[in-house]
Amino acid sequence: MVQSTSKTGAVESAACCAAGSAVNDDKHVNGQSMFAKGAAEIFTAAQVASKRSALIGPNSALSFDEPLYIVQGKAQYLYDAEGNQYLDCCNNVAHVGHCHPKVTAAVTKQLETLNTNSRYLHDKLVVLAERITHKMPEPLRVMYAVCSGSEANDLALRVARANVPGAWHVAVMEGAYHGHTTATLDLSPYKFDGPGGMGKPPHVHVLPCPDVYRGSHLDGRAAAQAAVEAAHQAGGCISAFYCESILSCGGQVVLPAGYLQDVYQVMHEEGALCIADEVQCGFGRVGSHFWGFQLQSVVPDMVTLGKPIGNGFPMGAVIMSQKLAKGFSNGMEYFNTCGGCTAAAAAGVAVLEAIEEDKLQQNADDVGTYLIHSLQALQKEYPCIGHVRGLGLFVGIEMVIPGSKQPAPATAKFVKEGLKIRRILVSTDGHHNHVIKIKPPMCFDRSNADSLVTHLVDLMKLGMPVAVQELDRAYDPEKKSTRIQNTTWQSFHVTDSQQLTT
């Protein structure tokens, strides 16, 4: 059964995973959390914001112009300090649902019993490795445990370079994000081509992002060959090709059929290893398959995992063949203090069990298809919706200037903020920050999809404010770092926020 919480019914609160303690008999009544009400007595939102401004790094982003003070989560819902309930349509970290009772109980029990590193034998770590690799095609049968998707991609690069000696160059996709370590930032055009970025490093070669909507850059073979040639001209060879199976930060981009088959063939001929980044779209989220790379009928040399693997517990993994693992085992010990710790293993096993027991992959397939069709039905009436794409519960809505295919980042931001006022949470991303991303917890159901679409329609019926239209017309998509930042909302924030709630 899908874990679901009624918007108006009472539900039991889950135990607090991080502290290993329980919130006893907490109820959500009429969409409000009594526990959340109590939290507001500790700090007001303004006090928290002030303390955060003083104590937390200034470039640690918040999701909305008026940040939410979130104190509790349950299934596909979040609750603020005033007890207001929000439908979470953008948190793919809480993969099986916020505070899923099975995951919470497993981690709490393990923390109460033992939490130590992988230098000791423990059954849960090998059970987790066995169950994950069982979901993978041959010959992917070895797991290295890490603490995040960034660490997973960083480690995969080390493995690639150890197995392809002398090759230092890397190929990636335009708009890709593979992590925040120094090495993975170099592999992330999403960062190095964005605000504050230093530009493409000389050892990195970028394949243009396929754009099915506009019919450009669809030839994977040609793109791969160009990257290989660029590496040769620079005096190097490519050791690894990274690709998210569906490009998330790039704008929920579903690759054309056969694209990765062509790229993989060229890369393998070069001697490079192909790495599937499943940090965002893995674990059944695409519905029809457990892993996104299966959509392309390819077998990667390595698969990197993060985010959903622990349902919020900080963990990740790299999956590879015995051959690659042996090539990496060159005498230097691999040790990760918290990667593969007993609590992480308990979380990972519980997540896999919850996916199966709650039939969440099937739910993603059913509800995702229903949602995509519902959104596509709006395109004719609302021409600012240029393209609806995705698979399962991994969906993107590309906003454009009506009558064109020009990106409309201010419109996307207006919709994101407007839905937030209506207590529906989505995010925006893409090359121009003009794609609305929908990637909710996997217990998201058809009634939630209906609610999202209804509120979207109500918002669109108001029409785009003049200030929004002017921002979009003034936007230059050819500039390197033109991502719309939070300040753009301020020009129409007060007046139109009042309008949105009517």
Side-chain angles (χ1 to χ4, degrees):
M1 176 181 287
V2 174
Q3 183 205 11
S4 180
T5 305
S6 169
K7 296 179 73 174
T8 56
V11 299
E12 294 297 328
S13 171
C16 178
C17 170
S21 61
V23 181
N24 295 318
D25 297 324
D26 178 37
K27 303 288 183 179
H28 299 132
V29 180
N30 294 324
Q32 293 194 329
S33 166
M34 301 307 293
F35 171 77
K37 284 284 190 181
E41 297 174 4
I42 303 172
F43 293 118
T44 66
Q47 288 172 326
V48 173
S50 177
K51 286 179 178 290
R52 178 182 171 116
S53 178
L55 298 169
I56 306 299
N59 53 349
S60 299
L62 290 163
S63 291
F64 299 97
D65 290 321
E66 293 183 357
L68 291 173
Y69 184 6
I70 297 297
V71 298
Q72 192 173 18
K74 180 69 176 178
Q76 61 270 52
Y77 298 103
L78 292 172
Y79 299 85
D80 69 15
E82 298 300 317
N84 297 310
Q85 176 179 275
Y86 294 82
L87 176 60
D88 185 356
C89 302
C90 59
N91 196 326
N92 62 332
V93 178
H95 190 66
V96 298
H98 292 283
C99 301
H100 190 287
K102 187 179 191 73
V103 180
T104 300
V107 174
T108 300
K109 181 178 179 180
Q110 190 59 58
L111 288 173
E112 291 174 341
T113 306
L114 169 72
N115 190 28
T116 190
N117 61 61
S118 61
R119 282 195 171 120
Y120 302 95
L121 291 175
H122 199 275
D123 60 307
K124 284 189 173 63
L125 181 60
V126 294
V127 169
L128 175 63
E130 187 173 53
R131 292 188 181 181
I132 286 182
T133 56
H134 180 71
K135 294 283 190 180
M136 296 281 177
E138 291 282 1
L140 303 174
R141 290 295 178 263
V142 178
M143 183 185 89
Y144 280 92
V146 296
C147 296
S148 68
S150 295
E151 282 192 9
N153 282 319
D154 192 289
L155 179 61
L157 183 60
R158 288 177 57 195
V159 174
R161 286 174 171 167
N163 280 274
V164 190
W168 199 256
H169 290 229
V170 182
V172 298
M173 299 299 298
E174 180 187 8
Y177 174 63
H178 295 296
H180 64 81
T181 70
T182 300
T184 54
L185 278 175
D186 281 351
L187 310 182
S188 302
Y190 178 76
K191 291 293 187 180
F192 66 62
D193 276 340
M198 301 296 289
K200 184 182 75 65
H203 69 282
V204 174
H205 308 281
V206 180
L207 282 67
C209 181
D211 189 342
V212 174
Y213 175 44
R214 295 171 181 82
S216 59
H217 308 304
L218 305 182
D219 189 339
R221 184 178 302 279
Q225 289 172 338
V228 168
E229 179 59 28
H232 292 172
Q233 289 181 355
C237 294
I238 293 175
S239 63
F241 165 67
Y242 281 77
C243 186
E244 296 171 273
S245 301
I246 299 178
L247 278 64
S248 179
C249 292
Q252 307 296 80
V253 177
V254 179
L255 298 170
Y259 183 88
L260 282 185
Q261 288 181 334
D262 290 340
V263 175
Y264 275 28
Q265 182 179 349
V266 173
M267 291 298 167
H268 284 151
E269 290 171 354
E270 167 73 354
L273 300 178
C274 296
I275 300 166
D277 183 334
E278 292 276 333
V279 171
Q280 295 267 15
C281 63
F283 292 91
R285 178 162 290 279
V286 300
S288 58
H289 297 79
F290 201 78
W291 306 113
F293 66 79
Q294 293 170 318
L295 298 164
Q296 290 279 316
S297 300
V298 294
V299 177
D301 298 296
M302 284 184 275
V303 180
T304 56
L305 308 174
K307 296 186 188 299
I309 188 174
N311 207 53
F313 194 97
M315 58 185 294
V318 185
I319 312 300
M320 66 192 69
S321 67
Q322 286 282 359
K323 180 181 178 181
L324 291 184
K326 288 178 180 177
F328 178 56
S329 183
N330 61 359
M332 180 187 292
E333 177 193 12
Y334 172 76
F335 176 66
N336 190 315
T337 303
C338 296
C341 71
T342 48
V349 170
V351 167
L352 290 172
E353 291 177 350
I355 292 170
E356 288 195 19
E357 293 170 7
D358 296 351
K359 296 180 171 54
L360 294 181
Q361 182 180 346
Q362 296 92 319
N363 185 67
D365 195 23
D366 172 65
V367 177
T369 300
Y370 176 76
L371 174 61
I372 290 169
H373 288 165
S374 298
L375 293 170
Q376 288 173 336
L378 304 179
Q379 288 181 268
K380 180 177 290 187
E381 187 172 356
Y382 303 103
C384 62
I385 300 177
H387 192 217
V388 176
R389 54 179 175 259
L391 290 162
L393 288 174
F394 206 69
V395 180
I397 308 172
E398 182 165 348
M399 308 305 288
V400 297
I401 296 174
S404 76
K405 293 185 178 181
Q406 292 297 306
T411 295
K413 185 170 176 55
F414 178 81
V415 170
K416 181 186 83 166
E417 296 283 352
L419 287 174
K420 175 249 189 177
I421 291 170
R422 295 165 177 268
R423 299 181 186 170
I424 305 285
L425 305 182
V426 298
S427 60
T428 57
D429 233 323
H431 301 301
H432 308 286
N433 218 28
H434 67 301
V435 178
I436 296 168
K437 294 172 68 172
I438 302 168
K439 45 188 181 69
M442 296 268 281
C443 47
F444 190 87
D445 59 33
R446 283 191 174 216
S447 70
N448 300 141
D450 288 337
S451 181
L452 168 60
V453 172
T454 296
H455 283 289
L456 178 61
V457 168
D458 289 345
L459 181 61
M460 303 289 277
K461 282 180 179 177
L462 297 173
M464 288 301 118
V466 172
V468 176
Q469 297 178 52
E470 290 177 347
L471 280 166
D472 281 334
R473 285 194 293 267
Y475 177 74
D476 182 359
E478 299 304 317
K479 288 184 179 179
K480 174 189 171 186
S481 300
T482 50
R483 293 169 58 80
I484 293 290
Q485 302 299 307
N486 284 349
T487 53
T488 61
W489 174 259
Q490 301 302 327
S491 62
F492 48 84
H493 182 258
V494 176
T495 301
D496 295 297
S497 289
Q498 294 169 347
Q499 180 189 23
L500 293 175
T501 58
T502 60

